[in-house]
Amino acid sequence: MIKPTIIVVGNGMVGYKFCEKLVSKSSGFNIIVFGEEPRQAYDRVHLSEYFNGKTAADLSMSTRSWYDKQGIMLHLGDPIQEINRTTKTVHSLLGITIQYDYLVLATGSSAFVPDIPGIEKDGVFVYRTIEDLELIKAYATNAKTGAVMGGGLLGLEAAKALIDLGIEDTHVIEFAPRLMPRQIDSAGSAMLQSKLKELGLNIHLNKSTSYIGGNHKAEALHFNDESVLPIDMLVISAGIRPRDEVAKLAGLQVGTRGGIVVNDKMQTSDECIFAIGECALYDGMIYGLVAPGYEMADIAVSQLTGGSKLFYSYDMSTKLKLIGVDVASFGDAFVTEPDCRTIVFEDTHKGIYKRINITTDGKYLLGGILIGDADAYNILLQTVNNKLVLPPNPEDLILGSRGGLETEGAGIMNLPDDALICSCEAVDKAAICSSVTNLGITDIDGMKKCTRAGTGCGGCVPLVKDLIAGTMKANGQYVKNVLCEHFDYSRQELFDLVKINNLKNYDLVLDHFGKGDGCETCKPAVASILSSLWNDVIVKQDTIQDSNDRFLANIQKGGTYSVVPRIPGGEITPDKLIVLGQVAKQYGLYTKITGGQRIDLFGAHLNDLPAIWEELIDAGFESGHAYGKALRTVKSCVGSTWCRFGLHDSVSFAIEIEDRYKGIRAPHKLKGGVSGCIRECAEAKSKDFGVIATEKGWNLYVCGNGGSKPQHAELFATDIDKETLVKYLDRFLMFYIKTAEPLSRTATWLNKMDGGLAYLKNVVINDSLGICAQLEEEMQALVNTYHCEWKEVIEDPALRKRFTHFVNAPREKDPTVQFEPMREQVKAKW
Amino acid sequence: METLIDNWVLACLVDDVPENGGACVKLGDEQIAVFNFTRRGEWFATQNLCPHKQQMVLSRGMIGSTGESCEPKVACPFHKNTFSLLSGQCLTNEELSIKTYGVRIEDGKVFISL
């Protein structure tokens, strides 16, 4: 039997999604795709990331081989020019004529270019395809001032692209009196505008352009109000125009303002021809978002494969990050009193605006707008879509409940089974929960593989995670985070058990609470607990330490070690610098400045470590614990002693803090920073704890992180004095040390904490658990028992003897270690 | 090299190897990792080279056991690949394995069969 032929006209996101959905449902079609662009479908939603280092390949939604594998014939760079409905054939630009049984038009849209004199000049661009971006990029190298015409969603994206391209002076021109007129109200626009201004964007509202001036190339925008804005380039983003020209030519019904008219089956006025995505006009409306486009693809596939799914008007709720500012709009965002009651929260200090519209009886949520903080978007959208009854104080939805206890996330499990969680992939709550219950999926990666939820825009990922956790909890399936196969306890439980039972070494802990012989997971975890509790010299139990802790140095390629002496706050005398140079020279070490304002000496033989440290300690250095899951450095800027902007003496405070917490072991490494003013030269907000001077004292930030998943530290307390700050730090650090999972940084620890930052503040500042006195006492005990581990080693011949490569030839170094020259120093050869 | 009988070679003293840990001995041109598994009252010896990234470091690794049978193992300090101390098979990467050697203890001395 000959398979019916489906020709897909257009290979954009929706055209691709149609193919993907069709082949997953049926292999009974011969599929041929024609695309106008030279490359296969790519992610247009994240187009601006092209300027952030993402390549065309990164943005691509599939590969050529995918089409081959599915047996789909793909013609790129070859748009369909004509449809002959009588013979059911299409003709392409390159001269291909093929007969179809069904035709699917996914021709998308083009940028709407207003008819303004001068629009044809050089330096005027649209923002739509990768090719457009390449043109913009090439032209931008010589441009200093750029403007975007259009302050809608896409226009602001384009403005971000210009900023990313290094255009110093970027302007947004909007005809309407507010930004994003389709999504947000005037107050929201005002808040967004002030946030964008802070980020260096110039916004001009109520501006109508009369002509674009310049000699051949765009040089100035002339407005109706006689004002002029000099520019070097202009990007037009004034809306979209559905690509309906081929359909129109074929006599298909189109809307008066464009768009191919479709019914709820996505059929055009010819029942063999479907239209989906931004070219389709349903019920008088063009849907310019990707999620409804995917829904249309799904409907068309269903209709072609014998299903009966129909399209209903689609929710246009949206959440996005515009130039770093959260913007969300959901449900009926614009309904006003007396048709509803409106609750508005506005915080110009933090740049947050939230509005919710509720029914006049206060029972249901109708819609709303979130600017600056859109964390509540998912749950609010679900509350609208599923007509959930509101709590007695609906304002809690945007303010959080203010009685101390957080109710965040409590409503998620109450959603109905058919609540749509991932709108890109049409995954509902039931699908997610049953994957957890029946298939044993317990993490987001597994869920993505299993249901595809969260693989589109990614906006629903937090909600999916909460649903996974909620379902597991509901199933009583909560998996305890045990250390490893040898201990049926979490780190926190074991910490308490070791303390209560006064156990001081690993074997005793294993005998009392574990089984088997231990392993490389539980040994260092218990070592860390023992150290955090008793602060004994760790090398006395050297074989339970990770290699770096065992030899008090960082193992490097080739098996040599690096040496990092402590340089508190990054302050060092010339004499000490000279000693570092002399030691490095003497032992042939490669030297490099670290990110933590210290000096790292690389390439030391194991045998040389004690001698190296003997010299360093003689010169007044101490161990820097660069090898330990311990306090590393407290980075500082130079502060008020030298800097003309400095408010307080950040170096002295950094040294004080580093000296207080040095040597203290924790579940993972700890880093701190102290900045003398808001310019934040110490980058304190990327640290586990950060301190920034204010006019009135110091601000404390906690749980920041650099590394693979950077996260800014959260503001914890403002304008406090030194004594209070150290007190909070004592409590915070000790609470972390006692309760975090092994190898979990403070950021991860906070992210997983029930109740989050509010809970942490309550414990540390308000003493809600009544443990603060104890935390302070425990921290003081650690501070009091500080010792330099390397001093202990060099003074103890038995410990010192362990630093040999060959136990049967202690003077011989590892002969396999070799070096080769590099930029007047050495590097390991291996 | 002091030999006991035929191929047993004196490696080091019992006291040279830390309890529940390892040390490296040099026998001719070979580097051998010797492990004193005090908790089990057993000794093991393997090559010192971790075959994963060709690093002379196995003697500095942590030892332990795994599974129902308590298979003794050592973890390479570089990337935490673990190797059976009995068979030398890598337990985290099928394609890797290391040489193992017999160990005997006499009069506080450690002998290895090469």
Side-chain angles (χ1 to χ4, degrees):
Chain A
M1 200 184 97
I2 300 167
K3 292 179 180 177
T5 297
I6 294 183
I7 294 181
V8 183
V9 184
N11 188 228
M13 296 179 81
V14 173
Y16 164 77
K17 189 55 78 175
F18 172 82
C19 295
E20 190 192 85
K21 284 179 189 275
L22 184 61
V23 293
S24 76
K25 273 247 177 88
S26 163
S27 54
F29 294 98
N30 175 26
I31 307 170
I32 303 168
V33 179
F34 286 87
E36 183 178 54
E37 290 186 58
R39 59 189 94 235
Q40 61 252 4
Y42 53 87
D43 183 354
R44 230 184 277 280
V45 176
H46 296 105
L47 203 56
S48 66
E49 288 172 23
Y50 189 65
F51 292 141
N52 275 339
K54 283 222 174 173
T55 63
D58 291 334
L59 291 173
S60 186
M61 303 187 68
S62 71
T63 56
R64 186 95 207 186
S65 59
W66 180 84
Y67 292 91
D68 294 343
K69 218 173 117 196
Q70 307 299 334
I72 297 172
M73 180 94 73
L74 180 62
H75 299 277
L76 291 177
D78 190 12
I80 291 299
Q81 301 282 81
E82 194 191 332
I83 303 164
N84 186 331
R85 287 165 53 202
T86 347
T87 59
K88 288 182 106 176
T89 50
V90 292
H91 306 285
S92 80
L93 178 70
L94 299 179
I96 301 176
T97 297
I98 307 187
Q99 202 156 19
Y100 63 84
D101 293 292
Y102 297 100
L103 192 61
V104 176
L105 302 174
T107 44
S109 65
S110 57
F112 167 65
V113 180
D115 188 16
I116 298 170
I119 201 94
E120 74 293 343
K121 289 194 162 72
D122 282 352
V124 180
F125 301 89
V126 295
Y127 181 82
R128 188 73 194 152
T129 65
I130 289 186
E131 279 65 37
D132 295 334
L133 263 61
E134 277 169 352
L135 291 173
I136 292 172
K137 196 175 179 179
Y139 200 87
T141 51
N142 296 318
K144 285 208 167 66
T145 305
V148 175
M149 190 179 291
L153 205 153
L154 212 58
L156 295 176
E157 277 281 318
K160 175 183 187 297
L162 289 187
I163 293 175
D164 288 345
L165 281 174
I167 303 283
E168 291 158 20
D169 198 10
T170 302
H171 300 260
V172 172
I173 319 295
E174 171 58 47
F175 177 76
R178 62 175 194 263
L179 292 170
M180 299 181 67
R182 298 182 72 152
Q183 284 87 14
I184 63 177
D185 60 9
S186 304
S189 167
M191 190 64 76
L192 178 60
Q193 203 182 331
S194 69
K195 289 289 273 189
L196 296 179
K197 252 187 200 159
E198 270 174 38
L199 298 165
L201 211 55
N202 304 294
I203 314 272
H204 310 267
L205 299 174
N206 287 315
K207 284 276 183 195
S208 171
T209 310
S210 54
Y211 68 98
I212 300 162
N215 206 355
H216 299 298
K217 60 180 208 281
E219 285 170 358
L221 291 177
H222 296 261
F223 302 110
N224 280 352
D225 60 7
E226 309 279 289
S227 58
V228 180
L229 176 69
I231 52 162
D232 298 319
M233 65 187 298
L234 174 68
V235 177
I236 308 272
S237 179
I240 56 169
R241 267 283 153 85
R243 295 283 304 270
D244 57 5
E245 60 273 13
V246 180
K248 212 167 172 177
L249 207 66
L252 294 174
Q253 192 189 341
V254 296
T256 43
R257 290 166 59 203
I260 308 162
V261 176
V262 292
N263 61 17
D264 53 8
K265 296 175 178 173
M266 295 294 116
Q267 278 168 327
T268 64
S269 52
D270 179 334
E271 60 177 20
C272 293
I273 303 181
F274 293 76
I276 54 176
E278 291 180 339
C279 66
L281 182 71
Y282 174 78
D283 201 15
M285 180 155 171
I286 295 286
Y287 289 84
L289 290 177
V290 73
Y294 283 0
E295 174 75 5
M296 290 178 180
D298 197 46
I299 305 293
V301 166
S302 165
Q303 291 294 332
L304 285 163
T305 53
S308 57
K309 269 198 198 169
L310 298 175
F311 189 80
Y312 301 103
S313 68
Y314 198 89
D315 179 25
M316 293 297 276
S317 300
T318 182
K319 174 191 166 190
L320 62 156
K321 228 186 179 67
L322 276 171
I323 322 181
V325 185
D326 277 339
V327 177
S329 159
F330 57 93
D332 191 344
F334 295 113
V335 57
T336 50
E337 302 198 17
D339 298 328
C340 71
R341 299 265 179 269
T342 297
I343 301 173
V344 171
F345 169 75
E346 198 172 352
D347 176 348
T348 52
H349 173 58
K350 288 185 183 155
I352 294 171
Y353 172 78
K354 298 179 181 182
R355 162 183 171 173
I356 51 173
N357 309 317
I358 60 174
T359 51
T360 46
D361 59 6
K363 272 193 176 160
Y364 300 102
L365 183 61
L366 297 169
I369 293 163
L370 305 170
I371 310 283
D373 169 15
D375 286 352
Y377 170 76
N378 279 316
I379 191 69
L380 291 176
L381 178 60
Q382 295 293 343
T383 307
V384 175
N385 289 352
N386 297 293
K387 298 202 167 46
L388 297 187
V389 176
L390 290 173
N393 300 310
E395 66 273 21
D396 289 355
L397 289 175
I398 50 175
L399 298 176
S401 61
R402 281 137 291 129
L405 272 179
E406 293 252 325
T407 54
E408 202 181 328
I412 291 162
M413 295 310 289
N414 294 331
L415 294 174
D417 278 351
D418 60 357
L420 192 62
I421 304 298
C422 171
S423 46
C424 298
E425 292 291 337
V427 184
D428 61 16
K429 181 192 160 200
I432 288 168
C433 295
S434 80
S435 302
V436 174
T437 309
N438 302 325
L439 304 174
I441 306 289
T442 54
D443 59 16
I444 185 72
D445 290 333
M447 190 57 72
K448 281 180 174 175
K449 272 189 204 140
C450 177
T451 62
R452 299 189 59 77
T455 57
C457 69
C460 63
V461 167
L463 198 54
V464 175
K465 280 186 180 166
D466 287 347
L467 273 176
I468 296 173
T471 312
M472 286 173 69
K473 239 178 212 170
N475 292 351
Q477 200 188 348
Y478 178 69
V479 188
K480 198 159 83 168
N481 284 317
V482 299
L483 272 193
C484 68
E485 62 179 294
H486 304 107
F487 286 96
D488 274 333
Y489 297 99
S490 69
R491 182 183 179 277
Q492 185 177 352
E493 289 169 329
L494 201 58
F495 192 101
D496 292 338
L497 288 170
V498 172
K499 182 173 186 200
I500 295 162
N501 291 279
N502 205 28
L503 303 178
K504 304 253 165 118
N505 74 53
Y506 175 80
D507 280 333
L508 282 173
V509 177
L510 188 60
D511 289 341
H512 275 76
F513 301 110
K515 56 176 185 271
D517 307 311
C519 67
E520 71 281 2
T521 302
C522 58
K523 283 183 174 181
V526 171
S528 161
I529 291 174
L530 292 171
S531 177
S532 292
L533 277 171
W534 317 123
N535 211 12
D536 204 356
V537 180
I538 63 161
V539 277
K540 288 186 179 162
Q541 294 185 66
D542 60 343
T543 58
I544 61 166
Q545 311 292 341
D546 244 326
S547 176
N548 287 350
D549 267 334
R550 177 169 176 188
F551 297 108
L552 303 177
N554 296 52
I555 196 165
Q556 306 289 351
K557 266 186 186 175
T560 63
Y561 287 86
S562 67
V563 171
V564 188
R566 187 167 296 288
I567 301 179
E571 182 187 81
I572 186 166
T573 62
D575 282 338
K576 277 187 163 176
L577 268 178
I578 288 167
V579 171
L580 287 179
Q582 284 167 340
V583 169
K585 256 188 158 170
Q586 186 183 342
Y587 293 91
L589 307 177
Y590 167 87
T591 57
K592 187 177 185 310
I593 313 272
T594 71
Q597 301 186 332
R598 321 204 265 191
I599 294 170
D600 205 338
L601 314 173
F602 289 83
H605 282 275
L606 185 56
N607 305 41
D608 287 337
L609 287 174
I612 290 172
W613 274 105
E614 195 157 24
E615 292 193 31
L616 293 174
I617 286 168
D618 271 351
F621 284 106
E622 292 179 312
S623 166
H625 297 92
Y627 44 79
K629 305 301 179 203
L631 179 82
R632 298 286 171 84
T633 71
V634 179
K635 188 173 176 175
S636 73
C637 70
V638 74
S640 59
T641 44
W642 292 94
C643 175
R644 65 205 160 102
F645 297 118
L647 294 170
H648 309 305
D649 182 359
S650 48
V651 180
S652 297
F653 199 17
I655 294 171
E656 194 180 309
I657 294 174
E658 184 161 343
D659 277 338
R660 180 167 181 79
Y661 301 117
K662 67 187 173 188
I664 289 173
R665 281 189 158 70
H668 209 308
K669 61 185 170 186
L670 283 166
K671 297 179 178 185
V674 181
S675 278
C677 78
I678 194 68
R679 287 170 189 76
E680 241 285 72
C681 296
E683 295 163 337
K685 278 160 87 176
S686 65
K687 309 296 185 195
D688 295 281
F689 57 88
V691 181
I692 301 177
T694 68
E695 296 277 354
K696 298 175 197 155
W698 304 89
N699 282 354
L700 174 61
Y701 296 80
V702 296
C703 301
N705 201 353
S708 61
K709 250 183 73 188
Q711 185 170 325
H712 275 147
E714 305 250 18
L715 182 59
F716 192 76
T718 45
D719 296 330
I720 49 177
D721 59 25
K722 274 187 175 183
E723 289 68 31
T724 311
L725 196 144
V726 169
K727 189 170 74 182
Y728 287 171
L729 261 185
D730 276 5
R731 296 170 179 180
F732 161 74
L733 290 174
M734 206 61 219
F735 189 50
Y736 162 68
I737 288 169
K738 293 179 80 170
T739 62
E741 299 282 317
L743 302 181
S744 158
R745 290 287 296 270
T746 55
T748 318
W749 171 66
L750 178 65
N751 293 346
K752 286 187 183 169
M753 190 179 287
D754 279 341
L757 186 68
Y759 175 77
L760 183 61
K761 278 186 183 172
N762 246 338
V763 172
V764 171
I765 298 175
N766 305 329
D767 199 8
S768 61
L769 298 180
I771 56 169
C772 284
Q774 190 194 347
L775 293 174
E776 285 173 39
E777 198 180 300
E778 286 164 339
M779 179 56 81
Q780 195 55 49
L782 290 179
V783 173
N784 293 345
T785 47
Y786 168 77
H787 50 268
C788 170
E789 292 160 351
W790 268 111
K791 192 158 185 283
E792 304 280 338
V793 170
I794 61 170
E795 288 173 354
D796 182 336
L799 290 179
R800 205 171 162 146
K801 197 178 146 223
R802 295 182 188 171
F803 291 81
T804 54
H805 185 67
F806 297 117
V807 282
N808 60 344
R811 284 170 196 282
E812 261 183 67
K813 294 172 183 175
D814 181 356
T816 65
V817 169
Q818 285 180 15
F819 301 99
E820 57 190 3
M822 188 188 62
R823 288 190 295 276
E824 297 172 60
Q825 297 201 64
V826 292
K827 67 169 187 170
K829 187 177 172 185
W830 66 286
Chain B
M1 251 182 251
E2 185 184 341
T3 52
L4 190 68
I5 38 161
D6 290 339
N7 55 347
W8 288 98
V9 183
L10 173 64
C12 58
L13 303 177
V14 165
D15 291 344
D16 287 335
V17 187
E19 292 193 354
N20 291 308
C24 176
V25 294
K26 187 183 184 202
L27 297 177
D29 283 337
E30 295 240 31
Q31 296 198 16
I32 310 286
V34 183
F35 299 99
N36 175 9
F37 214 142
T38 328
R39 193 175 173 83
R40 299 164 65 108
E42 292 177 300
W43 286 74
F44 299 96
T46 69
Q47 67 186 57
N48 192 35
L49 184 79
C50 175
H52 174 228
K53 293 282 178 189
Q54 312 295 316
Q55 303 285 332
M56 278 291 183
V57 287
L58 286 181
S59 62
R60 302 179 202 170
M62 273 178 279
I63 55 173
S65 68
T66 184
E68 291 291 310
S69 62
C70 281
E71 175 110 2
K73 61 172 184 172
V74 59
C76 172
F78 265 75
H79 303 98
K80 295 279 154 49
N81 278 302
T82 55
F83 298 89
S84 164
L85 290 171
L86 294 173
S87 66
Q89 178 59 46
C90 180
L91 304 170
T92 44
N93 181 344
E94 282 185 2
E95 290 166 16
L96 302 176
S97 66
I98 53 173
K99 275 189 275 182
T100 59
Y101 305 93
V103 187
R104 268 171 63 172
I105 307 299
E106 302 248 331
D107 298 333
K109 292 174 185 165
V110 181
F111 295 87
I112 290 175
S113 125
L114 285 179

